[in-house]
Amino acid sequence: MEAPHNSPAAETVSEPAGAADPGPGPVEAVPEAVTVTLTVTSPEQMQDLGRRLARVLAPGDLVMLTGELGAGKTTLTRGLGEGLGVRGAVTSPTFVIARVHPSLVQGPALVHVDAYRLGGGLDEMEDLDLDVSLPESVVVVEWGDGKVEELSEDRLRVLIDRATGDTDDERREVTLVGIGARWAGLREALA
């Protein structure tokens, strides 16, 4: 969907193509992937994007967030929490590794994980029981690339790029990569 130039987020969409699952860094083509790129210019727009994404999410969804420190991963997750109608303030789980926010509206719980300090793969995260939580929850993992892909063949990667260095620029380029058949209608769902 191409948003009007005066809308909060201008979007571009690229078509699926074949290659390997993208790791951290630039977005590469992925089999059965749908890619949507948006420009967000404020924290409020990032939170609103989270609320929009929440309308698309369902129990069993795995969302992986990638971006520099301060890119807006937790702000996006705060919007997801608002859109899902969960209990508790959504804040960075850096020091507790994971937080569970139960639903207040009979929807899925939000499990918010910060894997930044975890060096290994899924084995190191086993104590979090994400595989047990995933079927009835929406699991959002910050810094999850290379650590949680084994949880689900279908997952949503959200890459947030921001200007680095000494800048006050609030602009973020947000690339959503829906991997697997679950995300085939991502473009239409965000319209």
Side-chain angles (χ1 to χ4, degrees), residues 3 28-29 39 43 48 52 59 67 75 84 96 104-105 110 116 127 129 141 155 157 177 182 184 189:
E28 300 169 13
T39 300
D48 183 59
R52 287 174 56 203
T75 301
L84 291 171
V96 295
L104 296 171
V105 294
L110 172 66
Y116 182 75
D127 289 340
D129 287 332
V141 183
R155 57 194 172 276
R157 280 191 76 219
V177 182
R182 158 72 177 96

Side-chain angles (χ1 to χ4, degrees), residues 11-14 34-38 174-178 186-187 190:
E11 301 181 14
T12 59
V13 178
S14 46
V34 175
T35 301
V36 178
T37 301
L38 307 124
V174 181
T175 304
L176 308 168
V177 182
L186 179 62
R187 258 182 248 119
L190 288 175

Side-chain angles (χ1 to χ4, degrees), residues 37-170:
T37 301
L38 307 124
T39 300
V40 175
T41 59
S42 70
E44 295 78 22
Q45 285 183 7
M46 185 67 77
Q47 201 161 335
D48 183 59
L49 175 58
R51 286 188 291 269
R52 287 174 56 203
L53 279 173
R55 296 189 321 240
V56 178
L57 297 175
D61 283 342
L62 173 63
V63 180
M64 299 167 48
L65 304 179
T66 301
E68 297 289 326
L69 289 170
K73 297 179 297 296
T74 300
T75 301
L76 179 75
T77 307
R78 191 171 297 121
L80 289 173
E82 289 175 9
L84 291 171
V86 300
R87 185 179 71 208
V90 175
T91 60
S92 178
T94 299
F95 299 107
V96 295
I97 310 298
R99 284 198 171 94
V100 177
H101 298 275
S103 176
L104 296 171
V105 294
Q106 308 304 316
L110 172 66
V111 178
H112 185 198
V113 179
D114 187 329
Y116 182 75
R117 294 185 296 140
L118 303 177
L122 193 56
D123 292 340
E124 187 175 346
M125 298 185 73
E126 222 170 71
D127 289 340
L128 298 177
D129 287 332
L130 294 180
D131 55 336
V132 174
S133 300
L134 186 59
E136 68 272 356
S137 305
V138 170
V139 175
V140 176
V141 183
E142 297 186 26
W143 308 97
D145 285 335
K147 298 175 183 171
V148 297
E149 288 87 347
E150 296 172 25
L151 284 173
S152 179
E153 289 182 18
D154 295 323
R155 57 194 172 276
L156 180 64
R157 280 191 76 219
V158 180
L159 297 98
I160 306 172
D161 288 319
R162 68 176 180 92
T164 56
D166 188 19
T167 180
D168 290 333
D169 189 357
E170 295 288 338

